[in-house]
Amino acid sequence: MGTWDIGPFDNDMAADFSYRVDEAPSEKRAEVLRAAFREVTAIGDDDFLDSDVAVEAIASAALVAAQCPGGDPVTTSYGPKQPLPELPAELRPLAVAALDRVLGPDSELLELWEESDGEEWKAGIRKLRGVLAGADTH
């Protein structure tokens, strides 16, 4: 996996995922995001979470958070090019659960970031989680 920065779309897998989101019909884009969250959360805490699956969930979480109060817009050229419809609020707790799993035990992506300067990356994921969790209470 090519990674060039710490943002949700700053790696090859997330950029490819953006293309998949764009290719889905507008009314199916929320389902693409939901599937990314489910793929991560279906993996038990005692099972190994592959980094490719994790980065898609992070990219999905960033897209959901962008529509929440306090969320940052996705402006990178590696994100989806097509506008997303208003996403259902029920995606927020799914995104939070997926991010918790990415930062949990047996997460390949977490292990990879901890081998380098992962504190800034983890802070970004926690910020994203905070936006999603806070929006879920409104």
Side-chain angles (χ1 to χ4, degrees):
M1 171 177 69
T3 300
W4 49 89
D5 209 343
I6 64 168
F9 294 93
D10 294 340
N11 61 76
D12 291 333
M13 289 301 299
D16 291 346
F17 177 75
S18 293
Y19 178 77
R20 216 164 61 236
V21 171
D22 279 339
E23 289 298 302
S26 180
E27 68 276 4
K28 297 287 186 187
R29 291 190 183 133
E31 287 306 313
V32 174
L33 307 184
R34 184 183 328 269
F37 299 142
R38 283 189 181 141
E39 191 166 0
V40 167
T41 57
I43 298 170
D45 287 341
D46 295 332
D47 296 323
F48 194 69
L49 175 62
D50 185 77
S51 66
D52 292 349
V53 175
V55 297
E56 290 184 2
I58 293 168
S60 295
L63 294 171
V64 174
Q67 294 186 3
C68 296
D72 293 328
V74 175
T75 57
T76 176
S77 62
Y78 299 104
K81 310 286 185 260
Q82 303 299 318
L84 288 172
E86 185 172 335
L87 297 169
E90 72 246 15
L91 290 179
R92 296 171 186 167
L94 298 175
V96 168
L99 294 177
D100 286 346
R101 181 60 182 92
V102 168
L103 291 175
D106 293 318
S107 170
E108 180 184 28
L109 189 60
L110 178 62
E111 288 177 11
L112 291 170
W113 277 107
E114 287 180 337
E115 291 173 4
S116 63
D117 184 21
E119 289 308 310
E120 191 177 353
W121 175 82
K122 286 191 282 189
I125 300 300
R126 286 191 293 267
K127 179 183 177 203
L128 191 59
R129 187 198 183 284
V131 167
L132 291 158
D136 199 36
T137 62
H138 287 100

